[in-house]
């Protein structure tokens, strides 16, 4: 049951009544569950044929493409790209539905934030150089360890950094930043690129939402997965952005041993 209580006061601010609203959300929950089970089953079933399709196309490209006419080779290349895009969409959908259903195992450990940043530097360094983007990291003060599933947080950061790389201008800058605020560490990925219009800033974390004209080929699931992973850590994620000036995505992680201190 979802419930809310409203206190009604008279002119003299004396108590004149209380409204208690109860809403049965069992049915809503059942529908959500069905939806999530269906998406999970469908994406699971699609994964196997897509993998073999992808392998066949890859093999054809490797072994037979030199015998093909230019036009046929182009068709095969297009099929190759689409199959791989679909594979990543299906795998994102599966991950998201598992997380939403609470069926993903979290493996928490105590991690220094610096290791996340070093990992991102090594993964993205060459791609940043190719686009002549300055890729910098900065940690404010002595940070405590954070309680996190290291692989999943690396996934969140990779997703934010690859988005930043996609939307930053050639010669621009992408920065990783971390700072402690009470019982949480705030981790940010900042770019000075295209930016996100204000009307999209809250919705961008919903499934399949992409800024019109700024889709760049993705699936619109990355940020929704980031949000679920951060939520599973007891954190929050948000974006601050000025169109034409850039975007900063920030998420929070709990400090080790902070108990229920408030930020
Ligand atoms: P995808 O990247 O697969 O489209 P995401 O959920 O990661 O999915 O991102 C959703 C949309 O948010 C993107 O399509 C893009 O329009 C917008 N977006 C995300 N990150 C940035 C960024 N750093 N700068 C500008 N737009 C962004």
């Amino acid at each position: 049951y979802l419930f809310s209580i409203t206190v009604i006061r008279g002119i003299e601010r004396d108590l004149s009544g209380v409204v208690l609203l109860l809403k049965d959300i069992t049915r809503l929950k059942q529908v959500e569950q069905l939806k999530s089970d269906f998406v999970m089953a469908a994406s699971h079933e699609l994964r196997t044929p897509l993998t073999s399709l992808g392998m066949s196309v890859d093999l054809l490209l490797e072994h037979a493409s030199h015998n093909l006419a230019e036009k046929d080779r182009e068709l095969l290349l297009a099929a190759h790209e689409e199959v791989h895009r679909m594979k990543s969409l299906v795998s994102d959908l599966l991950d998201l539905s598992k997380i939403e259903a609470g069926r993903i195992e979290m493996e928490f450990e105590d991690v220094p934030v610096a290791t996340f940043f070093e990992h991102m530097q090594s993964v993205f360094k060459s791609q940043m150089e190719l686009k002549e983007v300055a890729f910098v990291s900065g940690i404010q003060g002595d940070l405590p360890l954070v309680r996190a599933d290291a692989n999943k947080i690396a996934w969140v950061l990779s997703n934010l950094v690859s988005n930043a790389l996609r939307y930053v201008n050639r010669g621009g800058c992408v920065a990783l930043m971390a700072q402690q605020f009470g019982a949480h560490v705030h981790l940010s990925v900042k770019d000075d690129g295209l930016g996100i219009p204000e009307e999209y800033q809250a919705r961008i974390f919903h499934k399949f939402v992409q800024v019109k004209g700024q889709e760049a080929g993705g699936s619109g699931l990355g940020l929704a997965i980031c949000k679920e992973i951060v939520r599973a850590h007891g954190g929050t994620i948000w974006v601050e952005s000025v169109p034409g000036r850039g975007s900063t995505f920030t998420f929070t992680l709990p400090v080790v041993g902070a108990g229920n201190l408030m930020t």
Side-chain angles (χ1 to χ4, degrees):
Y1 279 95
L2 205 67
F3 74 93
S4 72
I5 301 175
T6 312
V7 175
I8 300 167
R9 294 193 182 278
I11 295 167
E12 301 285 302
R13 305 213 39 84
D14 53 327
L15 188 67
S16 59
V18 174
V19 178
L20 176 65
L21 195 73
L22 283 175
K23 190 169 179 223
D24 184 357
I25 55 167
T26 320
R27 176 118 189 91
L28 212 67
K29 284 244 170 246
Q30 281 170 345
V31 172
E32 275 297 310
Q33 183 66 47
L34 271 176
K35 211 172 72 183
S36 151
D37 286 352
F38 171 76
V39 173
M40 205 185 300
S43 37
H44 190 78
E45 290 304 312
L46 280 170
R47 220 164 43 152
T48 316
L50 267 177
T51 303
S52 44
L53 192 61
M55 272 164 61
S56 311
V57 173
D58 288 354
L59 280 173
L60 261 177
L61 258 182
E62 212 178 306
H63 299 304
S65 67
H66 53 277
N67 294 328
L68 293 176
E70 188 57 26
K71 270 256 165 302
D72 294 340
R73 211 182 109 77
E74 275 172 21
L75 281 174
L76 194 59
L77 268 173
H80 165 84
E81 277 194 13
E82 288 305 298
V83 168
H84 286 279
R85 214 158 71 86
M86 220 156 131
K87 263 174 65 183
S88 92
L89 169 67
V90 163
S91 125
D92 282 357
L93 267 176
L94 190 60
D95 284 348
L96 184 61
S97 54
K98 276 189 190 159
I99 302 173
E100 280 179 339
R103 275 186 226 171
I104 209 138
E105 291 277 311
M106 301 294 290
E107 288 172 26
F108 288 107
E109 49 184 319
D110 300 346
V111 206
V113 170
T115 55
F116 290 130
F117 286 5
E118 283 155 19
H119 180 54
M120 289 305 115
Q121 287 288 352
S122 70
V123 173
F124 286 97
K125 193 169 177 278
S126 46
Q127 295 178 60
M128 295 285 181
E129 280 171 5
L130 268 179
K131 206 173 169 181
E132 291 160 16
V133 170
F135 187 31
V136 296
S137 316
I139 290 182
Q140 291 252 333
D142 273 339
L143 281 190
L145 299 174
V146 288
R147 188 95 190 122
D149 180 322
N151 286 331
K152 295 196 181 64
I153 292 303
W155 194 97
V156 170
L157 277 168
S158 291
N159 196 70
L160 297 177
V161 173
S162 64
N163 278 349
L165 175 62
R166 200 187 293 162
Y167 295 102
V168 74
N169 301 313
R170 178 166 285 275
C173 179
V174 173
L176 300 172
M177 298 173 300
Q179 193 177 356
Q180 183 180 7
F181 288 92
H184 286 88
V185 169
H186 290 201
L187 292 92
S188 301
V189 179
K190 179 176 167 43
D191 69 72
D192 59 0
L194 207 53
I196 299 169
E198 205 183 329
E199 66 269 27
Y200 278 98
Q201 289 175 18
R203 287 198 293 131
I204 207 80
F205 297 95
H206 296 176
K207 278 177 265 188
F208 303 115
V209 175
Q210 296 178 303
V211 177
K212 222 167 179 220
Q214 299 181 194
E215 295 90 351
S219 64
L221 285 172
L223 290 175
I225 299 178
C226 288
K227 187 177 175 181
E228 291 300 328
I229 293 177
V230 170
R231 201 211 305 255
H233 284 77
T236 49
I237 183 166
W238 67 91
V239 65
E240 288 154 291
S241 180
V242 179
R245 302 275 297 274
S247 315
T248 304
F249 285 84
T250 304
F251 64 95
T252 66
L253 287 177
V255 160
V256 169
N260 53 5
L261 264 176
M262 299 296 287
T263 43

